Amino acid sequence: MSLEVRTLEASDYAGWLRATRLGFLRSATVSDEEIELRRPYTDLARAQGAFDDGRCVATFRSMPRDLTVPGGAVLPSSAITQVTVSATHRRRGVASRMMANELAATAERGEPLAILIAAEFPIYGRFGFGPAAGVTEWHVDTARAGLRPPGDDEDGRVELVDPADVLKSGPELHERVRVQAPGSINRNDRWWEMFTGKVQMSNDPWKEPIFAYYRDSAGRIDGLAAYTVEDKWRGMYPEAPLEVKQLIAATPAAERALWRFLLSIDWVTTVRTGFRAHDDVMPLLLGDRRAARIDNSSDFLWLRFIDVPRALAARTYAAPGSVVLDVVDPYGYAAGRFRVEAAPDGTATAEAAPSAAPDLTLTAADLATLYLGDESAVRLATVGQATESHPGAAARVDALFRTSRRPWAIDGF
């Protein structure tokens, strides 16, 4: 029997949500309350399902999100999420059909990029996505850490605050932070309501974090940390593990002060940092950097070009210069030759240049890995994922595309 793939109607939503949970190997039980809470935040026009005899067996949806790119500009993007296929219906091309529908809709909406978080690495490269920003998680032994002393600019204070304070002041801080972090996206009101516990889902156990602000000497909120601690003892000896749920900072002083605070709380013996940028500064604050052990280091945010000139012109570049990229894309959206002309101030123009001689040939997925500054064209050329038309072309691309810090996707979606 052929599967029907289509956008959702209101009557489909409960079954679609259950199929989503099954696709992620969770219980299919969804309360009426959860359906009521989630439904207003799902745009049915951007949600697809595959139906077998009326039963939803695959799910897919996207959301509009603004992605920060190097230099602080933001680009409208299609954030793809809740992609599942039931175990009974794998290998039938269902995900491919839904992805093809979404990429066509993304182009029609005028969104120059699509983004997603890949549950499995091998899936999305064939659709033109490439890993564009990764994450690393550390496990810190606080007894060994040997924190460095505060800097002269750390003249503010850390204070504990209530969830209501975070709901009120957190969004403004995050907006300041995310324009400094290529790879980050905007947050909607529902994100903050769930982060602070104002809205809770019955199927997702909730443990309220402890929230802390860093205020500078003038009282401005420059940083936010959220963390949980397990009340764990061995006899009369505390062994309390702390888990960082969020740490964002608009200034270096705030970032250093919040890490120093978390790593020096009484009774806390270990700190799990949560997902941070690959080059997070936390280990540099330790007198013994071996006290910070990497537990996980992985790709995270994947990116796909729809409108190459618009995306390339939006970001800034590290040096003046010109390069012609020959991009291969079986889906066609990003295929072609494109010239990037970067000015001394870092701004650039980008345009199609079909008759220009290319400097570097690569796939749309591999260009995505370069876009936010997380990969090197020289590395790609070394393993045959990029082809130089003349010696040194990959190094020229790197000179343009490199960034001083690696990108960081602060949030999942």
Side-chain angles (χ1 to χ4, degrees):
M1 183 180 296
S2 63
L3 298 175
E4 179 189 16
V5 175
R6 57 175 172 79
T7 55
L8 298 190
E9 299 176 0
S11 59
D12 298 322
Y13 185 70
W16 181 90
L17 192 55
R18 294 186 185 98
T20 301
R21 296 186 67 86
L22 281 174
F24 286 117
L25 306 182
R26 299 170 184 169
S27 168
T29 300
V30 183
S31 67
D32 292 341
E33 178 188 17
E34 181 170 350
I35 294 171
E36 188 71 20
L37 287 169
R38 291 190 183 276
R39 171 60 190 87
Y41 289 87
T42 301
D43 183 349
L44 296 182
R46 298 182 68 138
Q48 301 178 65
F51 297 86
D52 186 348
D53 196 23
R55 180 183 179 88
C56 187
V57 296
T59 65
F60 191 114
R61 81 178 179 104
S62 70
M63 309 172 290
R65 288 293 183 268
D66 293 332
L67 178 74
T68 303
V69 302
V74 295
L75 280 176
S77 303
S78 177
I80 295 169
T81 186
Q82 291 177 282
V83 180
T84 74
V85 179
S86 294
T88 54
H89 288 73
R90 298 168 65 247
R91 304 293 184 264
R92 302 191 191 185
V94 181
S96 296
R97 290 170 63 183
M98 294 190 294
M99 180 63 79
N101 291 342
E102 173 58 30
L103 294 180
T106 301
E108 186 174 344
R109 291 189 297 261
E111 295 162 333
L113 299 172
I115 56 176
L116 55 81
I117 296 168
E120 298 180 67
F121 192 96
I123 296 175
Y124 292 99
R126 68 179 186 268
F127 299 123
F129 288 82
V135 290
T136 296
E137 185 173 25
W138 284 268
H139 181 279
V140 185
D141 181 344
T142 59
R144 292 182 52 192
L147 291 170
R148 293 169 50 194
D152 293 338
D153 60 339
E154 292 177 46
D155 54 357
R157 69 183 188 276
V158 175
E159 62 180 33
L160 300 181
V161 295
D162 296 329
D165 297 317
V166 176
L167 192 60
K168 178 181 177 182
S169 303
E172 187 277 332
L173 172 66
H174 179 260
E175 284 299 304
R176 289 169 55 204
V177 172
R178 77 177 181 96
V179 297
Q180 304 175 34
S184 63
I185 59 173
N186 59 311
R187 296 172 176 172
N188 58 19
D189 291 342
R190 175 50 57 90
W191 190 98
W192 288 100
E193 290 172 347
M194 296 186 67
F195 179 60
T196 57
K198 182 178 180 180
V199 171
Q200 300 176 32
M201 300 297 175
S202 57
N203 284 332
D204 296 320
W206 166 255
K207 180 178 180 180
E208 182 174 293
I210 301 170
F211 297 99
Y213 279 157
Y214 175 84
R215 293 184 183 270
D216 70 5
S217 58
R220 183 179 65 175
I221 300 168
D222 281 345
L224 165 67
Y227 60 97
T228 58
V229 183
E230 183 181 344
D231 185 16
K232 182 179 179 181
W233 292 71
R234 185 184 296 272
M236 293 302 294
Y237 297 92
E239 296 182 349
L242 182 150
E243 184 172 353
V244 180
K245 299 298 185 180
Q246 184 88 170
L247 191 155
I248 57 174
T251 66
E255 187 169 9
R256 296 196 305 269
L258 286 172
W259 278 124
R260 191 172 288 107
F261 167 72
L262 294 175
L263 292 166
S264 59
I265 296 175
D266 288 344
W267 299 354
V268 169
T269 53
T270 59
V271 170
R272 288 183 66 92
T273 65
F275 287 169
R276 310 296 302 174
H278 283 321
D279 60 354
D280 194 88
V281 301
M282 183 279 299
L284 302 182
L285 299 175
L286 310 182
D288 182 352
R289 295 183 195 172
R290 295 181 186 176
R293 184 183 74 244
I294 293 177
D295 273 356
N296 171 59
S297 188
S298 177
D299 60 279
F300 191 67
L301 180 79
W302 289 55
L303 182 148
R304 203 242 194 264
F305 286 95
I306 299 296
D307 186 336
V308 174
R310 184 178 172 189
L312 291 178
R315 61 155 290 176
T316 58
Y317 295 84
S322 175
V323 67
V324 175
L325 303 172
D326 189 11
V327 183
V328 178
D329 180 6
Y331 280 78
Y333 298 105
R337 291 183 183 176
F338 306 94
R339 177 182 285 109
V340 179
E341 294 271 2
D345 65 357
T347 60
T349 60
E351 60 183 5
S355 60
D359 294 298
L360 194 72
T361 300
L362 72 174
T363 67
D366 288 322
L367 180 59
T369 70
L370 299 176
Y371 181 59
L372 298 179
D374 202 42
E375 187 50 273
S376 156
V378 170
R379 277 168 44 99
L380 295 180
T382 300
V383 298
Q385 290 181 237
T387 303
E388 296 180 302
S389 297
H390 50 82
R396 285 180 53 208
V397 172
D398 281 344
L400 290 173
F401 279 74
R402 72 172 183 266
T403 56
S404 57
R405 293 286 300 274
R406 297 181 74 175
W408 178 35
I410 298 174
D411 298 312
F413 51 88

